[in-house]
Amino acid sequence: MSLIVQKFGGTSVADADRLRNVARIITETYKKGNSVVAVLSAQGDTTDDLIEKAKEINPHASKREMDMLLSTGEQISISLCAMAIEAMGYQVISLTGWQAGMLTNSAYSAARIKRIQTERIQKELDKKKIVLVAGFQGINKYDDITTLGRGGSDTSAVALAASLHADLCQIYTDVDGVYTADPRYVKGARKLDEITFDEMLELASLGAQVLHNRSVEMAKRYNVNMEVLSSFSGNPGTKVKEVVKTMEKTHVSGVAKDKNVARLALVGLADQPGIAFKIFSLLAKHNINVDIILQSIGRDESKDISFTVARSDAEEAKRVMEENKEVIGFQKVELNDHIAKISIVGAGMANNAGVACKMFEALFSAGININMISTSEIKVSVLVDEREADRAVQAVHDRFFNEFGNA
Ligand code: ADP
Ligand code: ASP
Ligand code: MG
């Protein structure tokens, strides 16, 4: 007998029929003799709708109250699904994050799981019940409800799988698995049979929404046996694991797009030591994460530094720079929040000099200008104009994954 954690995303539980479908998948797994813990997300657009509702009342609501509100979405899903499973004649119980012992820190809206007290879940499993757990939510040391950040139900599921030492963690979603690019927007995107934790972590962090990046980080740390599959098709999904068979010959496993990017440029800085330190320590003090950094060669004793931040941090970053104009010493700061980051990810990339070149060639052939470039052992990212982002992804994907591509 195995213990299986299953997670069902918003589209998979969007209405009564879909909830019944999820109840069927869960009970079929249970009927085979497995213990099942299922984590559910809020139905369809519920979380977005709740955010809109909050904005109507108070656009600057506290994060604590936002978490209180948003956590209700998942509670609706688990109770309705439990009712569907009851109607099928099985023993089932739904648990909120706190009932399931999901203890987090106090970073409302972006809480991190500290540990899971699994006694209650274990007790219910021992009684042979199917256990449904509300995703995306936990409780902090003040007994307040917290949420884990958008898309966080994946992380709830992986955390449960790790704490319960589950044999398998299945992430059920609305596509057949992890693809070489978003299959909804990119023609010719192919499903991957397997992908390494490292590649998946990069793809998820670089904009591939299919998995919450923290869920992948956690799955890697605890070596959780993880797969992504469709709740609709019944097709085999994608296994996410430490090592994959095809790793040696693969150069690129996927292309991702991230629109949550803005670029700031500080023009006319003095070409002297300590300037970068001043800029980035100020940003760090304000908890603003910086991604790509580019410094021009000093000319006429002056230089420029450009960097990217999340779009939600862009205005604050600009304000911090302007407030410290004298201290840092620059002529002007420019903000561009109409850009997007396009990335290729692949474990076999580090030892293949031609990979980045192939990406640049694809963009050149499509007449798309590159604003900034950043590379690591496992990825190459470029910034392009937001309006060209979809075309850029398609061009790069075609170059690596059409019939002549070698990926
Ligand atoms: P869920 O509600 O099940 O958590 P999400 O909407 O969070 O589902 O994630 C699934 C979506 O991720 C897919 O519908 C797809 O459009 C998008 N996606 C982006 N990149 C990829 C990729 N490389 N492979 C698969 N899906 C992707
Ligand atoms: N309902 C939450 C969201 O929409 C969490 C999740 O779906 O994973 O972000
Ligand atoms: Mg999701």
Side-chain angles (χ1 to χ4, degrees):
M1 195 185 89
S2 300
L3 170 58
I4 300 183
V5 174
Q6 301 181 318
K7 178 259 170 178
F8 297 91
T11 321
S12 304
V13 296
D15 56 32
D17 280 343
R18 289 183 178 181
L19 273 170
R20 280 194 206 98
N21 176 52
V22 164
R24 182 187 56 77
I25 296 173
I26 294 172
T27 52
E28 268 171 18
T29 311
Y30 178 84
K31 262 195 301 199
K32 288 183 188 146
N34 302 301
S35 296
V36 185
V37 175
V39 174
L40 269 55
S41 291
Q43 292 183 284
D45 296 329
T46 301
T47 310
D48 291 326
D49 294 345
L50 289 170
I51 292 172
E52 285 311 308
K53 267 199 167 87
K55 277 191 194 149
E56 273 174 33
I57 299 276
N58 176 359
H60 306 293
S62 68
K63 287 185 174 171
R64 182 201 180 273
E65 295 309 327
M66 284 305 289
D67 281 5
M68 181 65 114
L69 177 69
L70 298 193
S71 66
T72 62
E74 272 66 16
Q75 204 167 321
I76 294 174
S77 299
I78 50 165
S79 49
L80 289 176
C81 189
M83 291 172 201
I85 294 175
E86 273 174 1
M88 295 165 80
Y90 292 87
Q91 292 240 67
V92 58
I93 184 162
S94 63
L95 301 172
T96 61
W98 74 263
Q99 288 174 311
M102 188 75 69
L103 307 181
T104 73
N105 67 10
S106 290
Y108 297 107
S109 85
R112 295 213 158 231
I113 299 169
K114 287 177 35 181
R115 95 194 130 85
I116 308 181
Q117 282 171 340
T118 54
E119 290 82 359
R120 174 73 190 271
I121 297 180
Q122 206 58 64
K123 213 163 75 190
E124 303 298 345
L125 289 175
D126 291 345
K127 289 189 227 160
K128 302 282 173 231
K129 286 192 187 173
I130 292 169
V131 179
L132 304 186
V133 178
F136 174 60
Q137 57 178 264
I139 188 164
N140 67 13
K141 62 179 176 192
Y142 308 112
D143 287 347
D144 282 338
I145 293 174
T146 54
T147 67
L148 310 182
R150 297 306 305 270
S153 296
D154 299 333
T155 300
S156 310
V158 173
L160 278 167
S163 310
L164 294 165
H165 305 290
D167 300 281
L168 179 61
C169 181
Q170 296 180 306
I171 307 289
Y172 280 92
T173 184
D174 54 7
V175 288
D176 271 346
V178 180
Y179 281 68
T180 50
D182 190 333
R184 293 192 192 287
Y185 300 103
V186 181
K187 276 192 252 94
R190 290 189 219 153
K191 193 185 82 188
L192 300 164
D193 293 332
E194 43 184 22
I195 185 166
T196 63
F197 286 129
D198 289 334
E199 289 171 300
M200 190 62 238
L201 182 57
E202 285 289 350
L203 276 180
S205 306
L206 293 166
Q209 184 194 338
V210 62
L211 284 177
H212 195 224
N213 60 356
R214 277 161 47 200
S215 73
V216 187
E217 205 173 66
M218 198 178 292
K220 180 179 161 68
R221 190 165 346 121
Y222 295 99
N223 206 12
V224 172
N225 186 10
M226 188 182 194
E227 65 176 326
V228 180
L229 64 176
S230 164
S231 63
F232 301 111
S233 73
N235 293 335
T238 303
K239 300 220 176 310
V240 190
K241 48 205 240 191
E242 191 59 46
V243 182
V244 303
K245 278 183 248 129
T246 51
M247 200 161 82
E248 271 292 280
K249 33 180 184 70
T250 306
H251 296 154
V252 172
S253 56
V255 184
K257 173 184 83 178
D258 188 358
K259 286 196 172 176
N260 182 22
V261 191
R263 186 189 64 191
L264 281 102
L266 296 179
V267 181
L269 292 154
D271 190 17
Q272 64 190 39
I275 299 288
F277 171 64
K278 274 186 202 159
I279 296 169
F280 296 109
S281 56
L282 275 164
L283 293 166
K285 219 192 276 171
H286 287 79
N287 271 325
I288 298 172
N289 279 330
V290 174
D291 182 21
I292 307 174
I293 300 173
L294 192 75
Q295 175 175 311
S296 69
I297 296 173
R299 228 179 260 123
D300 303 329
E301 290 173 4
S302 122
K303 67 183 176 189
D304 304 338
I305 290 184
S306 309
F307 55 90
T308 64
V309 296
R311 222 173 262 186
S312 45
D313 287 337
E315 285 299 336
E316 192 187 351
K318 187 168 181 230
R319 184 179 52 73
V320 171
M321 292 298 104
E322 273 164 351
E323 281 171 8
N324 290 279
K325 193 171 178 186
E326 302 302 313
V327 184
I328 304 168
F330 58 85
Q331 278 161 16
K332 60 175 177 177
V333 51
E334 290 169 358
L335 167 63
N336 181 349
D337 54 7
H338 296 287
I339 50 167
K341 184 165 66 175
I342 311 298
S343 308
I344 53 173
V345 170
M349 207 185 275
N351 298 316
N352 192 310
V355 174
C357 175
K358 209 161 144 180
M359 180 185 196
F360 304 153
E361 186 206 357
L363 293 166
F364 165 61
S365 303
I368 294 168
N369 190 37
I370 300 172
N371 279 297
M372 266 178 159
I373 300 171
S374 136
T375 65
S376 80
E377 286 216 338
I378 185 173
K379 65 135 208 239
V380 180
S381 297
V382 299
L383 288 189
V384 302
D385 189 307
E386 184 183 51
R387 287 166 301 187
E388 316 243 65
D390 290 333
R391 228 160 50 74
V393 173
Q394 188 68 58
V396 171
H397 189 272
D398 284 348
R399 187 71 186 87
F400 284 98
F401 295 99
N402 71 13
E403 56 185 313
F404 308 110
N406 67 351

